[in-house]
Amino acid sequence: MNNAITQRLNAWSTDRKKYERINPGVNTYASRIRSMVYLKTIPIKKSGGKTMQLSSLIQRAKVIDKGYGNFFYSLDEKCVPLLSGKVIDNMPIDYSVIVESSLADLRKKNEDTVNNISKQNLRVLDIVEKYLRFLLPQINKNIAKECLESILSRRAESLEEALQRILFVNQLLWQSKHTLVGLGRIDKILNRFEIDDRSKTIIMDFMRTLHEFYNYKSNSLMGDTGQIFILGGLEPDGNYFCNDYTYLFIECIKDLGLPDPKVLLRVSANMPEDLLKLATESIATGVGSPLLSNDDVVIPALLDFGYTEEDAFGYGTSACWEPLVIGKSLEQNNIASILYGRAAHDTCVDDAFTGCKSYDEVIEIFKKHLDNEIHIALETIDKIEWEYDPLVTLFTKGCLEKDLDISQGGTIYNNYGLLTEGMSSAVNSLLNIKRFCFKQEKVSLETVKNCIYSNFEGYSEEKELLSLNADGFGTDSEEAIELTNEILQYTIVQLKDYRNKFGGKVKFGLSSPNYVKNGLKVGATADGRLAYTPFATHISREKGDPITEIANFASGLRYEGINANANVVDVVIQPNLIVDNIDKFVQYLMAIIKKGVFQIQFNVLSYEKLVDAKAHPELYPDLIVRVWGFSAYFKDLPESYQDQLIKRAKEMERV
């Protein structure tokens, strides 16, 4: 590791302490909850191997049924495994395996192949069957008991059976400390089951059941559970897939009014308009779902990255929105970050900065520091050792054929995904330097450097000038779009030849849950941002510009395969703007889908309500907001997140 990187890594702890003094309580609430639970846990050691640990875990877990309606669902929050590596999480397994097969079917498949993984899979199946037979006498719900008993000998024959099987495997994943467990393409999985007058009640009970153990399931923040349903999608023949379940799941999300689970709807210019209207009506409630992922842009990018046609068109997502191939991949899409904002900060404090004679020389310094950021990210992911994972291996294609556990690269795709933070700060900083230091000569490079070093103390006029960011990131300025694409293309070139230890590639995108947390690692930037404060959210404008402008900006970005790890436009909008104009808003959404936005989510916020909710949380116990890729109760968020949402809502209401 070179000296610059070593110095930067060593500075992180110092930066964190500074940041926590300024912003106490950030990103700690959920971890405190989890710590209080884990203080009382019964740890399950790994002696005897991971299959023995799994067996010991589920034998010792208490039966705590919190299933709604006819469903059974049990988690013991105090009984968790001890881990020696990083657990494979943040992705759905292929639940169709358990819906379309029995344990007997899976057993036969593994008996027909004789190798180490088949033997491992058979041991896991023995453990699962033993656990199932242990549970059956303790279940008081006859329908749940019948549904679970059917797993032993045949495939699912009804909607209720299919959903109970999903819940059973889902609870095994959560119990064994897999987190951010998604639900996959649920309408595809359920496609062969007929809908009747009970179906909506069954699905709502299913969703309520998944919402249980909310604290235990939350990851970085309360509500960050990763429980996402993928709905709809473009087919290889150009037709748009949707069925009655596509509509019904959105209706249930809208009617339940819960922040979790959540929905991602794959959209296309070829989709039915009434489905887009239903999605709009759901968004208008403020529940935060569905997020819209544009197949007309995403799928070509995934094909460009190297996925087969079948897998690109069949994509699902990680816990939030990062595309992956379900059931065929070790696709860990949130494992390190490239901090564009820090590269911008380091550019301004570089010894060579004040000696630059042109803007192009500044860009070269920026690229040098961006190289460091990329190097740090790749070095971080290269050090990861994955926890051996027999349970997920059982449900993952490729592992049996390769005779390798998923943690050893046994599956078909072994790609990683990087996050990015601070692109807005980088683009606006560089544009400010170009405009005010070289074109207009209003500010010297020496003054900019002093502003950054001093965190703008004593430079109020300069801060006001640099904070304007007019025609900057998130506007339809050709200069801003061109610079963003230039930085994206440079990153693509630096990453295109990377391969991890399993031969997998890496992709990145312009959205991340770490826009607040990673602000603590970065000093002031020349866009007027103060030291150790949040970066802008995903692809967004915090100045309250019209949403058409941010959509035009995002549509002007070039999305190639390597930068297909989610590119989410995040829009704050006033409730009445949607509610009073549903039909017009549907037309607006279709227009931006056709224009080429990659993904988009809406936060329906009222400034006055948020201010009152912060002052009087007891009056708004059920107020839901969209955070990064999930929804949560406003009262559960750290103050820094609440303040950022309030600020954005205020700016939007000025439009």
Side-chain angles (χ1 to χ4, degrees), residues 91-111:
M91 66 178 192
I93 64 158
D94 184 0
Y95 285 102
S96 68
V97 172
I98 198 65
V99 172
E100 299 300 327
S101 306
S102 65
L103 295 186
D105 294 331
L106 295 176
R107 186 179 299 281
K108 185 178 186 308
K109 177 182 176 182
N110 283 278
E111 287 172 344

Side-chain angles (χ1 to χ4, degrees), residues 487-506:
I487 297 171
L488 288 174
Q489 187 59 41
Y490 184 81
T491 309
I492 289 170
V493 170
Q494 303 308 111
L495 293 176
K496 66 183 177 66
D497 295 326
Y498 170 82
R499 297 295 182 272
N500 62 32
K501 59 185 176 182
F502 305 128
K505 298 187 286 187
V506 67

Side-chain angles (χ1 to χ4, degrees), residues 246-365:
T246 313
Y247 290 81
L248 194 50
F249 269 83
I250 295 176
E251 286 177 10
C252 290
I253 286 285
K254 177 170 68 80
D255 293 349
L256 276 174
L258 294 174
D260 168 71
K262 57 192 175 182
V263 165
L264 180 144
L265 178 64
R266 291 176 44 175
V267 298
S268 166
N270 292 351
M271 72 184 299
E273 186 172 310
D274 66 337
L275 178 58
L276 190 57
K277 183 174 182 179
L278 178 61
T280 302
E281 290 169 351
S282 180
I283 291 167
T285 67
V287 75
S289 282
L291 176 138
L292 308 180
S293 185
N294 188 359
D295 283 6
D296 299 337
V297 179
V298 174
I299 290 173
L302 297 179
L303 289 168
D304 182 56
F305 187 68
Y307 296 108
T308 66
E309 182 180 78
E310 176 189 0
D311 294 334
F313 278 87
Y315 80 90
T317 66
S318 300
C320 294
W321 42 54
E322 299 88 354
L324 52 71
V325 179
I326 299 172
K328 297 182 180 180
S329 63
L330 169 72
E331 302 223 29
Q332 299 295 283
N333 285 325
N334 295 286
I335 52 177
S337 290
I338 297 171
L339 272 64
Y340 290 115
R342 186 165 60 198
H345 166 85
D346 290 351
T347 297
C348 294
V349 298
D350 190 290
D351 290 341
F353 176 69
T354 54
C356 291
K357 302 301 182 184
S358 69
Y359 170 69
D360 288 341
E361 290 182 30
V362 174
I363 288 290
E364 289 307 308
I365 296 175

